[in-house]
Amino acid sequence: MTRVPGQQSSGVVPSGREGGRAPDGPEDDVRALFGQSTAVFASLAGPAHMVEAANSAFYAAIGGPERTRTGVPLGRLMPELADQGFVALLDRVYRTGRAHTGRDVRVMLGEGAGAREAYFDFTYEPRLDTGGNVTGVRVVGVETTQVRQAQRLTAEHRALLEQIARQAPLTDVLDGMARVIEELSPDEVLVSVLLADADGRHLCHGAAPSLPDFYNEAIDGIATGEGVGSCGTAAHRRRSVIVSDIATDPFWDDFRDLAGRAGVAACWSTPILARDGSLLGTFAMYHRVPRAPQEVDLALARVFADTAALAVERHREEQARQAAEAREKAARDDLAFLLRASTALGSDLDAAQTLQRLAALCSPTLAPLCAVDVVEGGRVRRVAASAPTGRQRELLASHSPVYDASDDAAARVLASGLSEVARRTPTGPGPWHDLGVTGYLCLPLMDRGTAFGTLTLLSTDEHAFDGHTVALAEELARRAASAARNARQYTHRVTLARDLQAGLLMPELPDVPGADVATYYHPAGEGLDIGGDFYDIFPLPDGRWAFMLGDVCGRGANAATTTALVRHTARAVAPLLPDPEAVVQAVNRALCNRPDSHGSGFVTLVYGHLTHTPDGLDVELIRAGHTLPLVLDAGHRARPVEAVGALLGITSDTPLRPHRLRLRPYESLLLYTDGITEARGGDGDQFGEERLADALTGAPRRPGAHDVIDALTRAVRTFTGGHDIDDDQAVLVLTATGR
């Protein structure tokens, strides 16, 4: 800012190191920037404009003590005025007697290197004698230089505040602030802003557009502390530190040569403080020559240090907001990733496919390369691998860890159940060089406290595992292990259920003399539970054949136990008893005497004996609470077999009544469970017995047993629209062949 010659420095202690009197507030700084309005006066005589009298402000404005003279023409005292047209204006006022007024007029005061730019509001008034004649010119004015400079600074300051409000980049705001001060200051000044790090112990480069790069690089990161230059000391003291002569000040002992190379001789540093008093940085003004600040300089430093504080605080708040949003987004992304992963891992209850999906989920989201190994039969087998290229995937898939090798990461993780991460190639043999592996993360897949496999993520190039990736991978491995365990359990249960179900059904149908036999079985659901429907056909010692079809109340292990009890009891007693009624009574007693742990559900059953005759098949059967059998006769009509009998397994005294019939050639006996008649269509209606009879009449003329089943199952599928069924379906068809 403009320093009026002769003006005394205020607000600086005699040592010239540290700011003295603190301002009362921002108003004092504004007042100092705009300065005091000082009137200048001079009385000029005659056409030569001889200086007769002038006040001290006039002499201070025009250049100081060497120009403090009277009796000298103004043009000789200030020769620079002639070329600027001011002497000609005086001549005109003297000649015409009319005053002249100028507003905010630019004047260059002094000559050569000592010239300075100044601005004035002034009036040239004619001096008149008693006769009204002009005897001279009176000059009255006010220097507006400092006000003009302050107004320009204020405008630039307002622009900086608008930038801060628009959240312009901090570097742009600080660099713009430094350039504004440097451009508008009448004396050469070099501005620097250093920013404090998070702990306030070091200062880093913020902005210094006019200082040499080597200087900025040298002080970037300096510590805060007593005697560490002007800035380090100001940051430490939390007060302004003024060094008017770097060459002699001990604060600069460690930086004096650096300052000399940079061509700076004075440095005034003001700390930049947050609202809570914490350190944000420093604002420094350098000068090429030794110099102490005026009050206006200190005010300028305080104003722009406050502006810098506002910019830095807004920047930090914005950084904190962005960091919080980034953390929130990362958390949402992690949760979304884990939800998608959980859905994908649980979408197919197959352990192998689950682990293959795990590898695909990890690469490239968590790492460029991924492998999954499991322990099977005392050996480690690689079950999945994922990589950016097919060649890399083949290399990774071809390698399997050694279960008991101490130098293998997977073996160690299997043994310890603990994750292992390293920024190096895994120990032990492997295609690490060909794959360009630079680090690994190996995680256990746990089942009830024991590792049954590992998930290995491999880094390449610049990729590295941070804490966030490790935590995300561990959570994914936990979910994958749970999904794989569930899939294995499901697979085991399905296999067990299928094996048990197969054991309850006949592996293949026997050849029955004079009869064409066909069966159909369709379990409900996905096969986890064993159904209660069963059928059987077996020979008797006297040449007859026994057949049965039944339905056990319930599903699962108890139903399987009851089914086995019925079939095995019937097979055991049928050769020893004379007729179907006796066999069914024996089955009923066995059901009533079964242990409570084996279930207590009832059973519906159709059991009968089949005898081949020259005329066809003679059938004697017992219906115990089961759906009515149907006969498809030679006239292609379907009629129910009206046999009467109660449920089995309820009471030991069960009324049963045998029913006898003859199947002539190409006539069929159809036994079925209620899963057929109770199958539901899209509108909720049941298939029913009427549709069942219609389906049988839709079979070809003179049908075989398989033709009957095909006609029935086709009708049921059409009725249900192919939807899942709610109950097991079983069918047994006996057709007389006539042979």
Side-chain angles (χ1 to χ4, degrees):
M1 299 303 299
T2 302
R3 185 177 68 256
V4 179
Q7 181 180 352
Q8 296 300 313
S9 172
S10 62
V12 181
V13 296
S15 67
R17 287 190 184 173
E18 185 173 327
R21 176 182 61 81
D24 293 336
E27 294 79 4
D28 284 355
D29 291 336
V30 172
R31 190 179 302 114
L33 287 175
F34 280 86
Q36 300 291 333
S37 297
T38 304
V40 298
F41 169 81
S43 181
L44 309 178
H49 313 303
M50 191 76 66
V51 179
E52 285 188 339
N55 65 355
S56 59
F58 175 82
Y59 289 117
I62 68 173
E66 65 276 8
R67 290 189 172 187
T68 308
R69 290 184 290 168
T70 58
V72 179
L74 184 63
R76 187 186 306 170
L77 186 64
M78 300 176 66
E80 67 272 16
L81 296 182
D83 292 339
Q84 299 178 63
F86 294 105
V87 175
L89 285 175
L90 290 171
D91 291 342
R92 188 173 68 185
V93 172
Y94 184 83
R95 184 175 61 254
T96 64
R98 292 194 299 270
H100 175 80
T101 298
R103 299 294 182 190
D104 203 23
V105 178
R106 178 179 181 271
V107 184
M108 290 301 300
L109 299 175
E111 296 178 310
R116 76 177 182 91
E117 182 183 56
Y119 290 83
F120 288 88
D121 291 342
F122 67 88
T123 299
Y124 293 166
E125 299 177 347
R127 294 171 55 195
L128 304 176
D129 59 14
T130 56
N133 299 312
V134 178
T135 61
V137 179
R138 184 181 297 108
V139 179
V140 179
V142 176
E143 183 174 0
T144 61
T145 305
Q146 188 171 343
V147 173
R148 181 184 176 89
Q149 294 281 56
Q151 288 173 336
R152 293 175 63 188
L153 275 174
T154 300
E156 296 292 349
H157 184 254
R158 185 181 301 110
L160 289 173
L161 293 177
E162 291 175 355
Q163 277 189 297
I164 296 172
R166 292 196 307 269
Q167 296 182 342
L170 180 63
T171 54
D172 293 351
V173 173
L174 297 180
D175 187 78
M177 182 181 71
R179 293 184 186 278
V180 164
I181 299 171
E182 292 175 351
E183 291 173 3
L184 296 183
S185 179
D187 298 311
E188 184 180 14
V189 62
L190 294 81
V191 175
S192 168
V193 178
L194 298 178
L195 300 176
D197 59 9
D199 59 9
R201 296 182 179 180
H202 294 84
L203 298 173
C204 304
H205 174 72
S210 300
L211 286 170
D213 290 340
F214 73 84
Y215 184 85
N216 292 328
E217 293 171 1
I219 66 172
D220 186 19
I222 63 168
T224 61
E226 188 70 18
V228 185
S230 301
C231 294
T233 306
H236 173 69
R237 294 182 178 182
R238 304 293 201 273
R239 296 194 301 273
S240 297
V241 170
I242 307 301
V243 173
S244 57
D245 189 355
I246 291 175
T248 60
D249 197 292
F251 286 176
W252 282 78
D253 287 347
D254 295 336
F255 306 97
R256 190 167 289 115
D257 291 342
L258 180 66
R261 287 194 293 124
V264 292
C267 179
W268 317 330
S269 183
T270 302
I272 302 173
L273 302 177
R275 289 185 294 268
D276 61 1
S278 60
L279 180 68
L280 299 176
T282 59
F283 172 83
M285 302 171 69
Y286 290 85
H287 295 271
R288 299 290 188 186
V289 296
R291 181 184 163 193
Q294 305 295 323
E295 177 59 30
V296 66
D297 298 315
L298 297 175
L300 179 69
R302 288 191 293 267
V303 168
F304 280 94
D306 290 344
T307 305
L310 179 60
V312 174
E313 282 196 291
R314 287 294 297 271
H315 174 70
R316 290 189 174 182
E317 289 171 357
E318 179 63 16
Q319 281 188 319
R321 183 188 66 79
Q322 291 178 353
E325 289 181 351
R327 289 192 298 270
E328 181 181 355
K329 182 179 182 302
R332 290 198 306 268
D333 291 345
D334 289 349
L335 180 59
F337 170 73
L338 290 174
L339 289 175
R340 290 194 303 271
S342 297
T343 301
L345 293 171
S347 63
D348 192 332
L349 293 174
D350 181 277
Q353 291 187 6
T354 297
L355 297 178
Q356 289 168 4
R357 286 194 176 93
L358 171 62
L361 287 166
C362 291
S363 174
T365 303
L366 299 181
L369 306 171
C370 175
V372 180
D373 304 295
V374 296
V375 180
E376 292 180 351
R379 298 175 62 87
V380 179
R381 185 172 70 90
R382 180 145 296 173
V383 296
S386 182
T389 68
R391 172 59 179 163
Q392 289 175 314
R393 187 166 53 253
E394 290 175 2
L395 280 174
L396 195 58
S398 65
H399 170 259
S400 290
V402 180
Y403 188 26
D404 56 355
S406 60
D407 63 344
D408 191 279
R412 292 194 297 271
V413 170
L414 285 170
S416 66
L418 301 175
S419 301
E420 185 172 308
V421 61
R423 292 188 176 183
R424 56 174 173 78
T425 301
T427 56
W432 318 128
H433 177 74
D434 294 337
L435 292 171
V437 174
T438 57
Y440 68 91
L441 169 62
C442 189
L443 307 109
L445 300 175
M446 306 295 291
D447 183 1
R448 297 180 180 87
T450 301
F452 68 86
T454 60
L455 168 64
T456 303
L457 306 178
L458 300 169
S459 294
T460 60
D461 300 325
E462 299 301 320
H463 180 273
F465 296 107
D466 55 17
H468 169 261
T469 304
V470 172
L472 190 59
E474 287 181 335
E475 176 61 20
L476 179 62
R478 185 187 66 79
R479 297 188 181 205
S482 177
R485 178 175 63 249
N486 293 339
R488 290 201 311 274
Q489 291 176 346
Y490 176 85
T491 301
H492 293 161
R493 290 180 63 190
V494 168
T495 301
L496 177 61
R498 288 174 179 169
D499 290 345
L500 287 174
Q501 191 77 66
L504 299 176
L505 301 174
M506 299 181 65
E508 59 184 39
L509 296 174
D511 291 330
V512 179
D516 181 18
V517 182
T519 60
Y520 170 78
Y521 180 78
H522 186 193
E526 299 184 11
L528 283 179
D529 290 328
I530 302 167
D533 292 6
F534 63 94
Y535 57 83
D536 198 359
I537 184 167
F538 55 91
L540 297 175
D542 57 3
R544 293 178 300 168
W545 286 76
F547 63 89
M548 72 177 77
L549 183 141
D551 189 357
V552 175
C553 176
R555 298 180 65 83
N558 284 337
T561 302
T562 302
T563 299
L565 177 63
V566 173
R567 288 188 63 209
H568 296 158
T569 299
R571 276 182 171 260
V573 303
L576 307 176
L577 298 176
D579 53 46
E581 181 181 358
V583 173
V584 175
Q585 289 289 5
V587 169
N588 184 58
R589 287 193 295 274
L591 289 171
C592 292
N593 294 331
R594 61 189 156 172
D596 292 340
S597 60
H598 289 182
S600 58
F602 61 84
V603 175
T604 67
L605 178 68
V606 175
Y607 175 84
H609 290 168
L610 188 68
T611 303
H612 177 218
T613 68
D615 295 329
L617 297 174
D618 286 342
V619 178
E620 183 181 4
L621 61 82
I622 296 293
R623 171 178 168 263
H626 199 74
T627 55
L628 290 174
L630 288 176
V631 171
L632 182 62
D633 61 22
H636 215 60
R637 294 181 300 271
R639 56 181 173 81
V641 177
E642 299 291 346
V644 179
L647 299 171
L648 303 181
I650 303 300
T651 175
S652 58
D653 185 16
T654 299
L656 300 173
R657 183 184 301 171
H659 185 88
R660 295 176 178 82
L661 59 93
R662 172 169 291 178
L663 294 178
R664 300 187 181 280
Y666 306 110
E667 291 185 338
S668 300
L669 175 66
L670 171 71
L671 309 180
Y672 59 92
T673 59
D674 56 9
I676 295 291
T677 53
E678 294 178 1
R680 293 186 180 274
D683 57 1
D685 287 346
Q686 292 185 348
F687 186 69
E689 295 175 355
E690 184 176 348
R691 290 188 179 91
L692 174 60
D694 291 341
L696 295 183
T697 59
R701 291 285 179 176
R702 307 181 71 176
H706 289 282
D707 295 328
V708 174
I709 286 182
D710 288 344
L712 175 59
T713 56
R714 183 166 56 250
V716 172
R717 284 196 301 271
T718 302
F719 177 75
T720 61
H723 296 107
D724 292 338
I725 60 175
D726 298 326
D727 195 5
D728 298 337
Q729 297 174 345
V731 179
L732 172 63
V733 177
L734 302 171
T735 301
T737 62
R739 294 188 299 274

